[in-house]
Amino acid sequence: MLTRFPRKGINPLFPLVIPMIEKRTMTLNLSAHEMDVVERLADEKGLSKTALVRQALRLYQSISTRLDNGEKVFVEHPTTKEKAELVVLS
């Protein structure tokens, strides 16, 4: 079975499809600061740390796919409309 996650504002030509086969466990070593960031963001968003990391992976995959296809990704300030290009270092 495959699960599609709805993503507002994302090009439907690149849908995220995650196979629902089996779950695997990974140990992730983070610095104290990095873990504090994960815990703070998870708390702010009302997510578990696992759910937060999964969301981050989906976002990274979406951005990476767009960049691989020659697209640019921008963020825009809500009031000034100033734009900044998102650059991902490989």
Side-chain angles (χ1 to χ4, degrees):
M1 176 195 328
L2 296 178
T3 300
R4 291 183 187 271
F5 293 89
R7 301 176 303 154
K8 291 183 179 179
I10 300 298
N11 187 333
L13 296 177
F14 305 105
L16 179 65
V17 178
I18 298 177
M20 300 298 285
I21 299 169
E22 68 176 84
K23 292 186 179 185
R24 295 170 36 186
T25 301
M26 178 182 82
T27 300
L28 181 63
N29 296 312
L30 300 174
S31 69
H33 174 71
E34 291 165 336
M35 183 55 89
D36 289 344
V37 170
V38 168
E39 290 172 344
R40 180 179 53 80
L41 287 171
D43 186 54
E44 287 175 4
K45 305 296 180 189
L47 300 170
S48 67
K49 290 180 271 190
T50 299
L52 180 79
V53 171
R54 285 183 180 140
Q55 239 183 39
L57 287 170
R58 289 193 298 269
L59 176 62
Y60 189 85
Q61 180 185 28
S62 174
I63 290 170
S64 182
T65 298
R66 287 179 172 274
L67 294 174
D68 289 347
N69 287 310
E71 296 181 50
K72 292 184 179 184
V73 179
F74 292 90
V75 292
E76 180 180 85
H77 190 278
T79 54
T80 66
K81 303 300 180 191
E82 181 180 341
K83 293 181 184 175
E85 183 178 355
L86 179 66
V87 177
V88 178
L89 304 176
S90 49

